[in-house]
Amino acid sequence: MDLSGDTDISEETILRFAEGCESLVHLQFPNSLILAPEFYAALARARPTLKILELWEPETECLQVVCASFALECLYGGEEMTPAIIDMILQGPSSETLCEFDMDYAPCFNSADVLCLVRGCPRLANLGWRNDLINGDRYSHRLRLSPLVDGSNVDEINKLLEARGTTWGKLEPFPKYGPAPRRRSASGRSPDCG
């Protein structure tokens, strides 16, 4: 069930739907709905078989309930996630079931944290963690990683993900410097060479 965007729906309606829909395994929450830990506890009672959750800016207390209550295969969070989520996942049922975890917009993870997560979740094959170009601007405040310090951790993460059959591709969390490579036209000449 995709409720993303500015969907106008109440918590009670979501819970009633989750309770009544036995086949529900994927739930994406509205962007504008701020949910409390009590909601996630009620959701776990209503539909404990959820496998995919797409959360919008969840608080740490909410993530504690989610990680303790569900055996998730896919988890998508927001940039408010902290490294505490790693211990929560590793101590909960999702450590054995998690296949996909998207933390692209959560800048506070270091390479050692992420390697610990990948090592502790033997089914985790798809991981989103990178510096992105959004609207042509690089968010320099995102990941503060150094190829010298973090390179071996990132190499090991990529090796584990590739061995597990990643479909998202390898992680490339280091910023790229310098001009973009020149594109060649079909004739093999650069487009600005006339």
Side-chain angles (χ1 to χ4, degrees):
M1 180 166 69
D2 183 354
L3 301 172
S4 63
D6 292 324
T7 305
D8 187 20
I9 190 168
S10 71
E11 295 175 25
E12 295 79 20
T13 302
I14 295 170
L15 290 173
R16 286 179 53 206
F17 182 82
E19 187 174 40
C21 186
E22 294 179 14
S23 62
L24 182 67
V25 293
H26 183 166
L27 186 56
Q28 185 172 1
F29 293 101
N31 300 4
S32 57
L33 194 59
I34 305 300
L35 300 166
E38 296 77 20
F39 169 83
Y40 292 103
L43 181 63
R45 289 189 298 275
R47 186 59 47 217
T49 55
L50 283 172
K51 300 292 180 201
I52 304 169
L53 285 179
E54 296 187 45
L55 310 174
W56 183 256
E57 303 302 331
E59 299 289 329
T60 299
E61 296 81 14
C62 296
L63 290 170
Q64 287 173 327
V65 174
V66 167
C67 291
S69 303
F70 297 100
L72 297 173
E73 294 176 5
C74 305
L75 178 61
Y76 304 89
E79 62 185 60
E80 299 301 317
M81 285 189 301
T82 68
I85 184 84
I86 293 173
D87 287 333
M88 291 179 218
I89 290 170
L90 294 178
Q91 294 168 7
S94 294
S95 65
E96 297 300 319
T97 58
L98 194 65
C99 300
E100 294 182 4
F101 184 44
D102 187 353
M103 50 192 227
D104 272 349
Y105 302 105
C108 59
F109 294 92
N110 65 43
S111 64
D113 294 331
V114 177
L115 179 57
C116 182
L117 173 73
V118 174
R119 284 178 177 162
C121 294
R123 296 188 64 211
L124 184 60
N126 293 315
L127 181 66
W129 187 53
R130 64 181 182 264
N131 284 325
D132 267 347
L133 284 173
I134 299 176
N135 297 329
D137 295 326
R138 178 163 303 281
Y139 283 89
S140 61
H141 67 282
R142 294 292 180 202
L143 304 180
R144 300 203 187 290
L145 301 177
S146 159
L148 295 175
V149 174
D150 301 290
S152 62
N153 288 344
V154 171
D155 288 345
E156 185 174 346
I157 292 165
N158 280 325
K159 189 175 184 180
L160 288 168
L161 296 178
E162 288 172 8
R164 296 172 188 170
T166 183
T167 57
W168 289 7
K170 71 177 192 170
L171 299 180
E172 296 183 12
F174 303 116
K176 293 179 176 59
Y177 298 101
R182 298 177 96 163
R183 293 184 181 193
R184 301 261 176 207
S185 67
S187 68
R189 299 172 68 183
S190 294
D192 55 351
C193 292

